[in-house]
Amino acid sequence: MITIAIHTYERALSLRATLESHGIPVELTNVLHDSPEFTSGVRVRIPEEQLPLALRIIEGDESTPAPGNSILVPVDFSEHSFKAVTVAAGIAARLETPVKLLYSYLDPYIAGNLQFSDNISYELGESGAREAMEEAGRRLMHNFLERVHRGIADGLISKVKLESIVVEGVPEDAIIEYAKNEKPPLIVMGTRGSEQKSRELIGSVTGEVLDEGRFTVLTVPDPTEKDTLLRPDNILFLGNLDQNDIIALDTLYRLYPDIHASVTLSYMSRRRGLGETAVKAGLKRLKTYCDNNFSRFSFETAMLPKASEDDFEKLAEKHKCALLVVPNRHRNAFSRLFKPGIANRILFHTDLPMLVIPK
């Protein structure tokens, strides 16, 4: 049993009721072991393996998905989207959950002459009415779904239940709005190679969704092979050395319920001025917890000389990492405009697949 909080007796009773309503056993003990009464404070203790769930409950995580919700794949009918669907289907088959494809079109009277992808462009003079644009989107979605179904029939894509939705709106806004309402367990987004992404830095749909910081997102860069993401053998975890690391690692562990992987725990933060000794001690404690609670994974720790994208990329190359995991904080619109989050910065700096988990 571990102590998750120390409260007054009344607050401890309230927390115990909340945790037990979610099936978590709770034990209350006095802070002063030699006193028979609850006077100065009460320790709220739970089984160590229940810690990630308890933290989610205490934090009031409204983004936690309900069991059985569909994995969301935003699509623009490009090859990047098709690869993302292939990866999402493999994960969904393992989790026994559907996959939902989302395509958003922009009102042509608002869009003017805009190019959104290699496949789709809107020209005001030729667009026709909004209904015609919606119909065109549904037709493209139908054709894309037929291609996915052929891939399933040929054994190239895992067999899963497929759903689709076509909505009006700016792509990143449509994705965020859908995810807030439906709470998918995962959003899978195909991306281009790092060189091409850097030329499209302003207005990146994936970057905007990452900086929203409320959803678990898996990025699928163009050079990535499907099997690399379905069964990553070496994973680099860039933690914050706080309780959110445990939640993020638990999410990773549940997302890949049938693999054995090597996970390198590291620390990359520009906000907290922790010294090298404190970082090493924090990583050691995190490794001990992981060794005890995530038995299918093996763990090691590694230090980053500096909190920079170049250093983490060298570390990823050294450990031959196939997947990067980054806990990510929600950022308001002002912060996103002037100081993109770490996941956003990494997105444009590397071709490594990235699993971004809200904190």
Side-chain angles (χ1 to χ4, degrees):
M1 302 285 281
I2 61 171
T3 300
I4 194 170
I6 298 177
H7 286 316
T8 62
Y9 182 57
E10 291 75 14
R11 288 192 64 192
L13 285 177
S14 176
L15 179 56
R16 181 176 70 178
T18 300
L19 295 176
E20 287 182 342
S21 70
H22 289 80
I24 300 176
V26 177
E27 175 185 288
L28 302 183
T29 61
N30 201 336
V31 171
L32 300 177
H33 296 288
D34 56 351
S35 174
E37 297 180 355
F38 294 117
T39 54
S40 58
V42 179
R43 297 181 189 273
V44 182
R45 295 169 58 80
I46 62 171
E48 187 174 3
E49 65 271 14
Q50 297 285 357
L51 180 59
L53 175 58
L55 290 175
R56 286 190 174 95
I57 295 168
I58 293 172
E59 292 291 324
D61 186 0
E62 297 180 356
S63 65
T64 302
N69 284 10
S70 301
I71 290 176
L72 178 65
V73 186
V75 298
D76 62 2
F77 313 120
S78 65
E79 290 302 315
H80 315 295
S81 295
F82 188 76
K83 178 175 285 188
V85 172
T86 302
V87 171
I91 296 173
R94 186 185 294 137
L95 300 178
E96 299 182 350
T97 189
V99 171
K100 176 163 283 189
L101 313 185
L102 181 147
Y103 167 66
S104 65
Y105 65 93
L106 198 59
D107 186 333
Y109 293 101
I110 298 175
N113 295 323
L114 294 176
Q115 179 77 29
F116 287 98
S117 74
D118 296 335
N119 300 70
I120 303 165
S121 63
Y122 298 145
E123 296 182 7
L124 182 60
E126 302 175 1
S127 63
R130 180 182 302 172
E131 292 78 8
M133 185 60 68
E134 181 179 1
E135 177 59 30
R138 294 187 184 282
R139 186 170 60 252
L140 288 167
M141 178 66 82
H142 175 77
N143 295 338
F144 190 76
L145 280 170
E146 284 194 337
R147 181 185 176 191
V148 175
H149 282 298
R150 288 197 299 271
I152 293 175
D154 293 339
L156 302 176
I157 301 176
S158 300
K159 186 176 181 180
V160 294
K161 180 182 178 181
L162 292 170
E163 305 167 341
S164 66
I165 182 172
V166 176
V167 299
E168 179 186 349
V170 177
E172 55 267 35
D173 291 343
I175 297 164
I176 290 169
E177 184 66 22
Y178 176 90
K180 284 181 179 178
N181 293 330
E182 300 299 327
K183 297 179 174 57
L186 179 67
I187 303 175
V188 181
M189 302 187 70
T191 66
R192 304 174 188 272
S194 58
E195 292 185 3
Q196 193 164 0
K197 282 187 293 188
S198 64
R199 295 196 296 269
E200 300 172 355
L201 180 61
I202 303 299
S204 161
V205 174
T206 304
E208 287 294 320
V209 175
L210 292 181
D211 266 352
E212 175 66 20
R214 299 180 190 270
F215 321 112
T216 301
V217 181
L218 177 64
T219 65
V220 184
D222 188 45
T224 308
E225 294 295 328
K226 176 187 71 171
D227 291 342
T228 299
L229 283 175
L230 294 183
R231 306 194 70 84
D233 51 359
N234 293 299
I235 300 170
L236 175 59
F237 180 85
L238 296 180
N240 300 285
L241 296 184
D242 58 25
Q243 65 186 33
N244 297 290
D245 289 350
I246 294 174
I247 296 175
L249 285 161
D250 182 68
T251 300
L252 170 68
Y253 196 71
R254 294 173 185 273
L255 194 60
Y256 292 99
D258 61 347
I259 71 167
H260 292 76
S262 173
V263 180
T264 301
L265 304 172
S266 192
Y267 168 77
M268 182 176 179
S269 176
R270 298 180 179 182
R271 300 185 62 190
R272 298 170 58 189
L274 294 180
E276 182 175 334
T277 301
V279 171
K280 286 183 177 179
L283 289 174
K284 183 178 179 180
R285 287 193 296 270
L286 181 60
K287 179 181 182 301
T288 299
Y289 177 87
C290 292
D291 287 338
N292 292 336
N293 292 277
F294 305 125
S295 57
R296 282 186 289 101
F297 292 173
S298 61
F299 294 89
E300 61 180 313
T301 63
M303 293 290 294
L304 279 169
K306 299 177 183 178
S308 72
E309 285 82 359
D310 287 334
D311 284 318
F312 102 77
E313 196 166 21
K314 292 176 183 176
L315 184 64
E317 183 177 350
K318 176 182 177 181
H319 291 268
K320 299 179 180 178
C321 291
L323 177 65
L324 177 66
V325 180
V326 183
N328 197 38
R329 186 185 301 275
H330 169 65
R331 306 172 68 83
N332 60 40
F334 185 84
S335 298
R336 296 200 297 267
L337 180 62
F338 292 101
K339 190 177 181 181
I342 184 174
N344 192 323
R345 297 197 304 271
I346 291 173
L347 174 71
F348 295 97
H349 193 80
T350 179
D351 284 334
L352 268 179
M354 183 166 50
L355 180 65
V356 181
I357 301 171
K359 55 176 290 187

